[in-house]
Amino acid sequence: QVDKYLYHMRLSEENLMDVSRRFRREMDKGLGRDTNLTASVKMLPTFVRSTPDGTESGDFLALDLGGTNFRILLVKVSGNGKQNVEMENQIYVIPETLMRGSGTELFDHITECLANFMEKMGIKEKKLPLGFTFSFPCRQTKLDESFLVSWTKGFRAGGVEGKDVVGLLRKAIKKRGDFDIDIVAVINDTVGTMMTCGYDDHHCEIGLIVGTGTNACYMEEMRNLELVEGDEGRMCVNMEWGAFGDDGSLEDLRTDFDREIDAGSLNPGKQLCCCRLPPPTHPPFSASSSPPPAPYSSPYPPPSSFPCSASAPPLPPPSSGSAPLTTSTSSSPPPLALCSSFASDTTSPPPSPTYICSTHPPSSASSPSSFYFPLLLILLLLLFFLLHLLFARRLHKMVRLLVPDCDVRFLRSEDGSGKGAAMVTAVAHRLAEQHAERQRVLDALRLSREQLLEVKRRMEGEMKKGLARDTHESATVKMLPTYVQSTPDGSERGDFLALDLGGTNFRVLLVRVRSGKRRSVEMHNKIYAIPQEMMQGTGEELFDHIVHCIGDFLEYMGMKGASLPLGFTFSFPCHQTRLGEGILLKWTKGFKATGCEGEDVAVLLKDAIHRTEEFDLDVVAVVNDTVGTMMTCGYEDHLCEVGLIVGTGTNACYMEEMRNVELVEGDEGLMCVNMEWGAFGDCGELDDFCTEFDRAVDECSTNPGKQRFEKMISGMYLGEIVRNVLLDFTAKGLLFRGKLSERLKTRGIFETKFLSQIESDRLALRQVRSILQHLGLISSTCDDSILVKEVCTVVARRAAQLCGAGLAAVVDKIRNNRGLQELSITVGVDGTLYKLHPHFSTVLKETLRDLAPQCTVTLVQSEDGSGKGAALITAVACRLKEGKK
Ligand code: BG6
Ligand code: GLC
C-alpha cells in the first residue's frame, strides 16, 4: 500500500533530466523581453550587480521578512582586510492577524519593531543605511524600489500587492518621525543568502533557499537579461522558481497529494514547485479520499499550533507584537540553513519532516507531561538532523548527476539572509563611494568640446609656424617638405624594391607595377623582426641587419644579386632637400640606435650595402609612412590628399600649396608635407590637457618631453596610460581588491591589441577577465573587468578625439587654402590601432564632423601598407627621370 503511494513520488533520472530541460526553457522564456509575460519562472532582475569583494566597511541595518522569522539585524563590517563581520540580531513576532490584516498595519508594526531595535542598540539617532530582505515575488525597478507582485507563504496583508514596499516602509517611518534611516536596497532572501556566502567565498554566484518556501537566484550576464537596458556586466536574477509548473507543465509529475495540498493552500494553482509542508493535522499518507486539508496560516505553523511544539525549547512569552524573542550575535548557532528544507532557528521549533508527524500523532507528542517527552524530543531532533543531512546529500548527488560538467560546491549559509541584505547595502555603499572617486579620476581624461576646439586651434597655429621660414625653428609641428609633388598617372611600370621600417613590422617588398591596360600593382613581401637590441644599439648594427634582411629576401625571391630602384619607407622625422635624401632629425617610437640622428639614412643604407658587397641598390626615395599611405590610397582614389597613421606612433601628411611651403623655393603647384604632428605639445601646448598618467608615461619613455601628442594617441603608449590609471586605482583600493601585483607594475604589459580586444562589443566580461588573467592579473573579479574596460574606453576615446581635432585642423586648412565653403576630401589611413580598435574610427569621424563641419571627409583604410606607396613614388621618380633623359 505504502509502496503504491510512494511510487508516484519517485522520479527517475530520465524524469529529472526532462524536468531540468523544461526548467531551462522556462528560464529562457523568463529572460526574454517578449516571452516574459507568459513565463511561469519570472527571472526577476534584482539590480544587484556586484558581490562583496571584502573591502566593504561600516554599520548597516537589515530587515529580514518572509522566512520563518521576522528579524532585524545590525551588521558591523570592518574593511580592515580581515573580513570581520559582527552581527546583533533580534527576532520579532508578526501576529497572524497582521499577516492577513491591512498593509498599513503590517508596515507600522515592522517600523515599530525597527524603532524598538534601534532604541535597544542605541543607534536611534544615527541615519544608517538599511537593506530590506523581502522574500516575496516582486517586480523590481531599482535597487531600492520593488513592487510586490503577489503575497506567498501565508501572507495576505491588504493593499500591498502592486505597491512599492520600500515606499511603504519609508512612509511608515516618516509617519512615526522618531528616527530616520537610509533604505539602500531591497532584496529577496535568495539574494541575501548568496551575498552572505559571497562575502566569505567570492565564487559564490548562486543563492538557494529551501525553507518555508523555495527559490533561487544567480548572477546572470546582462546581455541575456532583456528586461533591463545595457549589456555590460552581470546582474543577480531572482528566479522565483516556486512558480515553475503553474502553467501546467508539471502536471504529469504531480501526485494526488500535491494536488490536495495545493487545493487547500492560500493560493491554489500557484507556487506548485514550492516545497510545502502538509498541514500538521493531516498526515501525508492519508488516502486521497480523505478530506482536503484546511488552509493554514503559515506554511510553518506558529509555535502554539505546531503539533510538536511542546517539544520545542521554551519561548519567552510574547508580551506584545513587537516583543523581542531573542537577541543573538554572530557566534550564536546558525539561524538558517541553506540547501536545507527546514529553517533551523534555535528559538522556533523545527517543523517536523512529514513522516515524523505521521508516525507520531500530535495527540501523543504534544503532551508536555509525557514521560517519553525527553526521549521523543531527542529522537525528533535526531531524525530532523538525519533528514536534513539526507536532503542535502541527495541534492548534491542529483546536481552532480544532472550537470556532471559543473563543479558545484554547496556552502551552507550560517548567518541567514539578513546579513546578506546588509552586505548588499554595504556593497552598494562601497560602489557609490568608489564610483564617485573613479569618475573624479577619469573626468581628467574626458575632454569637452571646447577643449577639443582649443586643441584644433592650437594645432592650426603650430602648422602655420612650422610652414613659415621665420618660425619653423621654434615650431613643434615641423611640417617637413617631402618633395613628393605628383601622384601616379598610370604610365609607371617596372619592378621596385621597398623597405618599410618604423611600424610594428619591418618589411621588405618587391613591387611590380604594370601600366596601360594591365595597370596593376603586384606585391610580394616578407616580414622581419628588428630585435630591441638593434633598435637601441649602434646605427651600423641596425643598418647591417636591414641589409642582411634585403639579401635574404632577394634570395627568397630568387633574385639574388639583382639591382633594383628602392623606395625606403622610413617612418621617423626626416629633413629632406630632395626625394632621395632623409636626414634623421630624431628617433621616435622607442628607436635610439646611435650615430643616426643628423645623418642621411639613404647614405647609411648605401654604406651598409657596400659593406656586404653582395648586391647594389639605388635608393630613389625616402618616404615617410604617412606619405606612403597617402600614395597607396591615392592610386585608387584621386581625392586622397591626406595620409594618416594611427599605429605604434601617429602622424599625418597632406598636399599643401607650394606658396605656403616656405622652406622650399617656388610657388607653383602642391607638395606633400609630412607634419610630424606627434611632436605637438612638446613646448607645453597640451599641458593643460595632460593628466598625471600622461606625465608618468612620458617620464618613463625613451624620449621624455618629446612626442607629447603622440603619447596621448598612439598604440605604443595607450596601454601604458591605461596601466598607470589601473595602478592608481589599485593603490587607492578601487581595483583588484587593492592588491598591487608585480605584473601590474611591469611596463608594457598592456599592448594595443589587448586594448582593442577588451573594448570589443561582442566580448563577454568573462573574456575580458581571461585577457586580464592572461596578463597575469589573476585575481581580477567581474567588477574589475568592467572597470578595466571603462578605463580602456575613456583612454581610447580621448585618443580618437585628439586625433580628430588634429585632422580637423588639417582638412580645414586645405579648405581655406582653396578658398572653399565646402570641401570633399579622402584621407588614407593606416596603423594597427586604427585598424583593430573597434571604436577608434567611429569616434574620430564623430569628432571630425563636429569640429570641421564644412568638410566631408572620407576615411579610406590602406590595405596594402605604405610600402606600395613608396614603390609608386619611386616609380614616378623613375618615370620623370626617364622623361628628362
Ligand atoms: C603599416 C605601414 O601598414 O602601418 C607602415 O606599412 C606603417 O609603414 C604602419 O608605419 C603603421 O602602423 P603600426 O601599427 O604598424 O605602427
Ligand atoms: C612617429 C614618427 C613619424 C611616423 C609616425 C607613425 O611619429 O616620428 O615619422 O609617421 O610615428 O608611424
Side-chain angles (χ1 to χ4, degrees), residues 122-187:
I123 51 170
K124 213 165 169 194
E125 303 314 313
K126 293 187 186 166
K127 189 180 173 186
L128 291 182
L130 177 136
F132 186 11
T133 309
F134 186 75
S135 310
F136 302 92
C138 287
R139 190 174 54 80
Q140 200 155 353
T141 38
K142 289 185 207 153
L143 188 59
D144 63 347
E145 188 176 79
S146 198
F147 297 85
L148 175 66
V149 174
S150 57
W151 284 116
T152 53
K153 296 181 283 193
F155 277 79
R156 218 169 53 184
V160 184
E161 286 181 349
K163 296 262 171 64
D164 167 27
V165 292
V166 174
L168 294 177
L169 185 59
R170 282 196 183 123
K171 206 166 137 196
I173 292 171
K174 202 162 169 207
K175 196 163 81 186
R176 282 184 66 92
D178 59 342
F179 70 92
D180 199 5
I181 47 169
D182 178 15
I183 309 172
V184 176
V186 57
I187 58 164

Side-chain angles (χ1 to χ4, degrees), residues 502 571-573 588-589 624-626 645 649-651 674 676 678 707 710:
S571 313
F572 301 94
T588 54
K589 299 181 284 192
N624 188 263
D625 53 358
T626 51
I645 297 284
T650 183
N651 191 12
N674 166 17
E676 284 298 330
Q707 302 291 105
E710 178 160 88

Side-chain angles (χ1 to χ4, degrees), residues 365-631:
S366 61
S367 163
S369 56
S370 161
F371 171 74
Y372 296 108
F373 168 65
L375 194 67
L376 196 61
L377 174 63
I378 290 167
L379 255 175
L380 272 174
L381 284 175
L382 248 173
L383 271 167
F384 167 70
F385 181 73
L386 257 175
L387 253 183
H388 199 238
L389 212 71
L390 268 181
F391 185 94
R393 270 217 202 128
R394 288 227 172 112
L395 174 68
H396 302 180
K397 206 172 134 193
M398 266 310 136
V399 170
R400 268 195 295 274
L401 191 79
L402 296 177
V403 277
D405 294 341
C406 300
D407 177 15
V408 184
R409 279 184 300 126
F410 288 83
L411 197 69
R412 243 178 60 162
S413 162
E414 304 294 351
D415 297 314
S417 67
K419 175 179 165 187
M423 275 348 293
V424 173
T425 310
V427 171
H429 199 69
R430 165 176 65 79
L431 290 181
E433 285 195 344
Q434 292 184 339
H435 180 77
E437 174 58 13
R438 281 194 294 261
Q439 292 314 313
R440 198 190 56 70
V441 173
L442 290 179
D443 276 349
L445 287 155
R446 294 189 175 108
L447 296 175
S448 67
R449 185 166 188 273
E450 275 55 49
Q451 285 174 311
L452 290 169
L453 272 171
E454 184 55 28
V455 171
K456 181 191 168 198
R457 263 195 296 273
R458 291 185 197 174
M459 176 67 90
E460 280 164 351
E462 281 305 302
M463 285 168 75
K464 275 201 189 117
K465 265 173 86 180
L467 285 169
R469 193 186 298 274
D470 297 343
T471 45
H472 173 81
E473 200 51 42
S474 64
T476 52
V477 179
K478 286 288 180 216
M479 310 294 283
L480 302 166
T482 66
Y483 294 84
V484 171
Q485 289 184 278
S486 52
T487 46
D489 70 358
S491 65
E492 302 77 12
R493 49 196 287 267
D495 288 355
F496 304 92
L497 266 187
L499 298 182
D500 190 351
L501 177 76
T504 311
N505 299 306
F506 166 51
R507 241 187 279 241
V508 186
L509 306 94
L510 173 67
V511 186
R512 198 155 274 165
V513 186
R514 292 202 178 94
S515 60
K517 276 193 188 141
R518 291 162 63 221
R519 183 177 185 263
S520 64
V521 178
E522 182 187 313
M523 295 203 297
H524 301 272
N525 78 79
K526 207 169 163 192
I527 292 173
Y528 293 88
I530 303 256
Q532 180 95 0
E533 317 80 84
M534 299 270 180
M535 288 177 173
Q536 303 188 348
T538 70
E540 235 176 63
E541 281 164 353
L542 175 65
F543 280 88
D544 282 348
H545 177 68
I546 292 172
V547 170
H548 173 77
C549 298
I550 302 174
D552 176 84
F553 180 72
L554 288 174
E555 196 168 333
Y556 168 76
M557 295 300 296
M559 301 171 66
K560 204 173 170 200
S563 171
L564 293 174
L566 178 123
F568 186 5
T569 304
F570 184 73
S571 313
F572 301 94
C574 286
H575 171 69
Q576 291 183 281
T577 53
R578 56 191 172 83
L579 188 63
E581 171 194 68
I583 296 162
L584 175 63
L585 294 174
K586 61 176 183 206
W587 283 119
T588 54
K589 299 181 284 192
F591 276 72
K592 53 176 192 192
T594 55
C596 301
E597 289 182 352
E599 301 295 327
D600 179 358
V601 291
V603 173
L604 293 179
L605 181 64
K606 276 182 207 156
D607 289 349
I609 293 174
H610 291 153
R611 279 197 293 275
T612 65
E613 294 180 359
E614 281 179 20
F615 51 87
D616 201 13
L617 296 171
D618 178 16
V619 185
V620 176
V622 176
V623 176
N624 188 263
D625 53 358
T626 51
V627 185
T629 301
M630 182 184 81
M631 278 296 177

